[in-house]
Amino acid sequence: MRNIVAGALVALSLSVAPVWAADIVIKFSHVVAPATPKGKGAEKFKELAEQYTEGKVKIEIYPNSQLYKDKEELEALQLGAVQMLAPSLAKFGPLGAKEFEAFDLPFLFADKAALNRVTTGEVGKALFARLEDKGILGLAYWDNGFKIMSANSPLRTPDDFVGLKLRIQSSKVLEAQMKALGAVPQVMAFSEVYQALQTGVVDGTENPPSNMYTQKMHEVQKHATLSNHGYLGYAVIVNKKFWEELPADTRGQLDKALVEATEYANSIAQEENDKALAAMKEAGKTEFHELTAEEKAAWMEALKPVYEEVAGRVGADVIAGIQKAAAGN
Ligand code: LMR
């Protein structure tokens, strides 16, 4: 009897299964809004991956921390509950890959070209190799852009930071950065930041304009400084076992889709941020400050000690390697 019921259930499920049912499902979880460089990159990957595999692979995207918050999504990837993520490079510390926090060093990259020399070169590859014993494969670097600093009071000189509670990602380099400015850093999941700013649990934060705008942070921050003091980028990562067990032809198609989605994501990042900044200026809730040359020099001076302070954690060799590659040497 039990067999019959089971059989009937199987038959029923087969009869309602859509003819296009995919053989393989990849859950891609992330914490930002769909209308961001990362959100759009994920959509592009889905479109191309489903096209190239002719529907054999279905990509399910879960944006806005719908499935998991920052720390949980990394655990979920290792456990195989999701197959693909694109966490910011600032979030790899809890995984034991502290080297990635080097990307958070203040004023590390003069411009995007310097950044690209690092991520597309040997240093980028060597960093990905450090993920493998954690059951993770690094497949691509996606750009977001340079961060701006926001609060409810103007942030022109390091003195303006003293005593402010500022939300950061889990990176110890960001913790050292905020402390060097005299602020009190507070680690918090991205999905909780808007409310924390709104209720005054924290006074301010840092992020590129695309994240600030799509989370409506500008509605609860009176001031922002266009400091571009730090970088925010992502590593597209997958569960290693899952990826390596894919049929070789399918994996090749997915790799091709990812190469193209990466080009796309990186090509729109700056424009998305420019548009977000323009939209926030238009909204008129936040006053945006440009740093004068002297103000910028004061920030750089205050932040210089961070390099020495974190060298033991992220590796002096890693920092030197990034600086060398960034300079094009
Ligand atoms: C943050 O947590 O501030 C950002 O890294 C979120 C993201 O993924 O862009």
Side-chain angles (χ1 to χ4, degrees):
M1 178 65 185
R2 226 207 249 141
N3 282 348
I4 297 170
V5 173
L9 284 176
V10 169
L12 186 65
S13 70
L14 285 178
S15 69
V16 296
V19 283
W20 46 264
D23 301 338
I24 299 163
V25 173
I26 295 180
K27 291 192 165 86
F28 186 160
S29 170
H30 69 80
V31 301
V32 297
T36 55
K38 176 160 63 181
K40 291 187 175 187
E43 293 289 347
K44 179 59 86 183
F45 174 67
K46 172 182 167 67
E47 176 198 320
L48 296 173
E50 292 179 354
Q51 183 189 325
Y52 294 158
T53 61
E54 295 173 340
K56 278 204 303 283
V57 176
K58 183 166 191 285
I59 312 292
E60 291 178 359
I61 302 174
Y62 297 92
N64 266 327
S65 310
Q66 239 170 55
L67 275 190
Y68 301 105
K69 295 188 200 176
D70 305 327
K71 196 166 167 289
E72 290 89 335
E73 69 172 16
L74 282 158
E75 290 159 6
L77 184 78
Q78 286 181 299
L79 291 171
V82 293
Q83 290 72 36
M84 197 164 197
L85 306 172
S88 90
L89 304 170
K91 292 178 183 167
F92 284 78
L95 202 65
K98 299 172 281 198
E99 303 86 355
F100 284 82
E101 293 179 358
F103 283 91
D104 299 323
L105 282 163
F107 298 109
L108 179 62
F109 302 111
D111 50 31
K112 289 276 174 81
L115 178 261
N116 289 336
R117 284 192 284 274
V118 175
T119 51
T120 59
E122 288 309 310
V123 177
K125 253 190 242 152
L127 285 168
F128 276 166
R130 302 197 187 199
L131 294 172
E132 294 206 17
D133 65 357
K134 317 204 183 305
I136 291 174
L137 280 184
L139 298 184
Y141 289 96
W142 283 5
D143 182 27
N144 193 340
F146 293 102
K147 293 177 284 187
I148 65 181
M149 203 72 95
S150 68
N152 281 319
S153 48
L155 301 169
R156 290 191 180 282
T157 67
D159 288 348
D160 296 331
F161 284 85
V162 175
L164 290 184
K165 276 182 276 156
L166 300 182
R167 178 269 172 176
I168 55 164
Q169 307 176 75
S170 61
S171 164
K172 295 284 181 205
V173 174
L174 297 179
E175 186 181 310
Q177 169 197 273
M178 294 308 193
K179 284 186 176 163
L181 291 168
V184 184
Q186 211 147 321
V187 175
M188 187 179 289
F190 185 64
S191 57
E192 289 161 13
V193 181
Y194 173 84
Q195 208 185 359
L197 291 170
Q198 189 189 35
T199 55
V201 168
V202 290
D203 301 304
T205 188
E206 56 168 10
N207 241 304
S210 60
N211 275 345
M212 187 175 172
Y213 178 60
T214 52
Q215 298 298 320
K216 297 187 168 42
M217 293 182 204
H218 65 292
E219 293 182 359
V220 288
Q221 294 281 264
K222 292 197 177 70
H223 293 270
T225 298
L226 305 175
S227 47
N228 295 331
H229 62 279
Y231 175 70
L232 183 72
Y234 309 109
V236 180
I237 54 176
V238 289
N239 179 294
K240 183 172 187 282
K241 186 167 181 296
F242 169 82
W243 200 256
E244 288 176 346
E245 285 176 0
L246 286 171
D249 58 337
T250 304
R251 197 171 50 239
Q253 290 154 346
L254 294 174
D255 282 336
K256 177 170 149 66
L258 188 60
V259 166
E260 291 173 26
T262 298
E263 274 167 25
Y264 170 78
N266 292 344
S267 74
I268 62 164
Q270 189 58 51
E271 191 190 329
E272 289 293 316
N273 277 294
D274 292 346
K275 281 197 286 193
L277 180 58
M280 289 191 288
K281 284 181 175 168
E282 177 75 25
K285 307 234 181 214
T286 315
E287 205 176 305
F288 290 90
H289 310 288
E290 297 271 1
L291 287 179
T292 64
E294 296 91 86
E295 285 166 352
K296 185 170 174 188
W299 283 49
M300 291 180 90
E301 188 58 28
L303 290 168
K304 224 191 310 175
V306 174
Y307 280 68
E308 280 239 351
E309 243 172 78
V310 302
R313 176 174 169 87
V314 302
D317 56 329
V318 174
I319 299 176
I322 291 179
Q323 286 175 317
K324 192 162 175 277
N329 298 323

